[in-house]
Amino acid sequence: MSPSLALCFFSLIFTLVGAVFGTVGYREVRKTDHLLRKGMTAQGVVTRLAPMKLEGQSEASITIRSTGTTVYCPVIAWTTADDRPMETTSKLGRARDKTFRVGSRVEVRYDPADPSRWTLPAEGNGLGRVFVAMGALFLVLGLGFFAGILYVQVL
């Protein structure tokens, strides 16, 4: 494989990864922002913490610090404005000492047309914004590599 073809492939990978990360993050940020602005508010109670064990894919996988540890996702019971009981599990798992305690009261924002679409204002939009920033960085790097390849070939 020639160096310019390898660099083209490298820039394409960076551009595609950036586009995917940016799109996923942007959609999550928009969904959460919409629920925070226009969603109905309900008071919920953390009924339990659902444990989730973080494990590597295989023996050959890269070992990360959190591999083999357990994080906890709060399970929240709340009632919609039309008196439908809901029990939902947060997508964001944390260490036991950094998550909500059982019995804690939390505010839930939900879509009245589809209560399965909900968010906790206390969790914010940080993770989605990180994905958008990573996507933008990878996209700019990929396009920059591609522009550099074109510039060198024109010279």
Side-chain angles (χ1 to χ4, degrees):
M1 184 182 291
S2 73
S4 64
L5 188 57
L7 285 174
C8 270
F9 182 70
F10 185 71
S11 69
L12 178 66
I13 295 297
F14 261 73
T15 303
L16 290 175
V17 167
V20 168
F21 270 67
T23 301
V24 167
Y26 179 74
R27 290 183 67 189
E28 188 64 28
V29 167
R30 279 194 43 120
K31 180 187 92 166
T32 303
D33 280 347
H34 176 76
L35 288 173
L36 291 174
R37 278 192 332 268
K38 301 196 178 192
M40 297 283 294
T41 302
Q43 288 301 311
V45 176
V46 177
T47 58
R48 62 184 157 67
L49 299 176
M52 180 173 57
K53 189 155 178 89
L54 301 177
E55 297 180 17
Q57 297 296 326
S58 68
E59 292 297 321
S61 68
I62 297 171
T63 303
I64 56 175
R65 186 173 150 214
S66 61
T67 298
T69 61
T70 302
V71 295
Y72 297 89
C73 302
V75 178
I76 302 154
W78 50 283
T79 305
T80 63
D82 58 354
D83 290 329
R84 283 188 281 173
M86 301 291 292
E87 185 173 80
T88 50
T89 304
S90 175
K91 294 181 269 181
L92 191 59
R94 295 186 178 130
R96 185 183 293 269
D97 61 337
K98 297 197 188 290
T99 193
F100 298 106
R101 297 183 195 276
V102 173
S104 298
R105 296 206 171 274
V106 294
E107 180 181 319
V108 176
R109 290 286 181 110
Y110 68 96
D111 181 351
D114 182 8
S116 67
R117 292 186 49 187
W118 64 281
T119 191
L120 296 175
E123 289 182 348
N125 235 346
L127 190 60
R129 293 186 197 285
V130 168
F131 269 78
V132 170
M134 282 179 48
L137 176 66
F138 273 63
L139 190 64
V140 166
L141 286 173
L143 293 175
F145 285 130
F146 189 69
I149 293 166
L150 290 177
Y151 179 75
V152 167
Q153 287 185 353
V154 169
L155 288 180

